Amino acid sequence: MEYHNSWIEISRKNLEYNIKSHKKLLDKNVKLMAVVKSNAYGHGIVLISKILDSIKEVDILATVNLEEAILLRKNNIKKPILVLSYYGITENREVFADQIKFAIKNNISLMVYDMSVVKIFDDIASKLKKRVKIHIKVETGMARVGVKYEDAIDFIKTIKKLKNIDIKGLASHFATTEESNQYFANYQLNNFKSLIDNLEKEKINIPIKHMAASAAINMSKKNHFDAVRLGVSMYGLWASEENKKFINKTNNSFKLKPVLSWKTKLFQIKDLKADVPVGYGCTYRTTSKIKMGLIPVGYFEGLDRRFSNNGEVLVNGKICNIIGRICMNIAMIDITGLKAKVGDEVVIIGKQGKNILDLEYLSKKIDTINYELVTRLNSEIPRIIID
């Protein structure tokens, strides 16, 4: 049996539950895009995508870049894929052309917002005697990636003149749907709706219009359009505390189930006397006799250094404090009073006994968001499906 210093457990049942719970919020004709960008929010992009490929409620997979999309196709993922952000334009045009050719041949759609790039796509597709599928990204107020919505109609009209471009989608992204005040979200929504109305007046129909990510999906059906992009909430994580509170008030039967747990084992136990410094910088000093456990996990693996003298883990169902500075590959914990032994399981994220260390709680401790904690989990840590 293969041994791992730490491992991440993935609950397929909880993943399916979260998808089906969101699918129930959608009208029948609204497509569900499952976002697997950034190593599936740390959950393992290939493993998660293989599960999603077999779930009928999922219509499209969405990656952040073309490299991720190519990786999925090379691992025999069959569902349509949309690249949400970028596709690695480099000075080496041959490499870029090869990647775009792969996308065209393998049912990968590309988000566009730059006319010079669209014309390159058209040229490459022409040589293949095929059409490249694109979604147009419109910037409706976030001041990030996209064509300004005021310029979008002219942009789209120019693309429509190109023979080898197939416009499949029109997209934008909310800046503030995670927050309780929806004023700016409604401003963006109205900009997007206005663009759609004006396109219809020009008799331009784009089949898949989408704007809602996780927070916006359960806020209102008016955000849904033809498709939604289910990201962080698919993994059982709330987009924000404000979003969680809003949903609990408006739909208290709606729940999310965490998909990921992170575990390791004790590899050494030491008895320390009082007044003993622990770890780099001697930032912790014992005030009495303690029993200290060491775990083979540090900031390289993704245990944030801000948990130094501030974090907790679970051992034998009990909460144990992290003491001293977290090292690159090691952390020290106080296991005083436990009948612990080398090899005992340690839970870093997840449940053990009656206690839970969930990502909402952990992210608050170091003043960050759950997204950051999971996406920083080292991709080398094995991900294992447990159910």
Side-chain angles (χ1 to χ4, degrees), residues 313-319 338 345 351-356:
V313 297
L314 299 174
V315 182
N316 294 350
K318 304 295 182 183
I319 295 173
L338 299 184
E345 183 180 90
K351 184 177 181 181
Q352 193 183 63
K354 295 181 179 179
N355 284 309
I356 301 173

Side-chain angles (χ1 to χ4, degrees), residues 186-231:
N186 288 328
Y187 164 75
Q188 285 189 267
L189 184 67
N190 289 334
N191 287 340
F192 195 59
K193 283 182 174 179
S194 176
L195 171 60
I196 293 168
D197 290 343
N198 288 331
L199 285 169
E200 288 177 354
K201 289 175 185 176
E202 297 282 347
K203 301 192 183 313
I204 297 172
N205 178 47
I206 298 175
I208 304 174
K209 295 167 284 291
H210 53 104
M211 191 170 184
S214 289
I217 292 171
N218 49 28
M219 293 294 284
S220 172
K221 281 193 173 186
K222 67 184 181 182
N223 299 327
H224 293 178
F225 296 99
D226 304 297
V228 298
R229 304 185 299 266
L230 182 58

Side-chain angles (χ1 to χ4, degrees), residues 87 111-119 134-138 146-162 165 167 169-170 195 199 204 206:
Y87 15 80
M111 194 78 77
V112 303
Y113 36 83
D114 184 309
M115 188 57 68
S116 64
V117 173
V118 177
K119 288 179 178 177
I134 66 165
H135 289 226
I136 297 164
K137 183 68 174 286
V138 180
V147 182
K148 286 185 180 180
Y149 80 96
E150 302 97 322
D151 303 328
I153 289 182
D154 287 342
F155 185 83
I156 293 165
K157 283 182 175 179
T158 302
I159 292 175
K160 294 281 284 182
K161 295 175 184 176
L162 301 175
I165 302 293
I167 302 175
L170 181 73
L195 171 60
L199 285 169
I204 297 172
I206 298 175

Side-chain angles (χ1 to χ4, degrees), residues 236-281:
L237 304 173
W238 290 98
S240 69
E241 188 63 29
E242 291 92 338
N243 184 244
K244 181 179 180 180
K245 287 177 181 177
F246 176 85
I247 301 309
N248 286 342
K249 283 183 180 179
T250 58
N251 185 4
N252 62 10
S253 64
F254 185 84
K255 306 294 180 188
L256 296 177
K257 294 185 179 182
V259 173
L260 176 151
S261 300
W262 185 19
K263 299 179 179 179
T264 185
K265 293 182 179 181
L266 289 169
F267 77 89
Q268 187 180 14
I269 294 173
K270 302 178 79 170
D271 292 311
L272 301 182
K273 297 178 181 179
D275 201 34
V276 173
V278 174
Y280 286 118

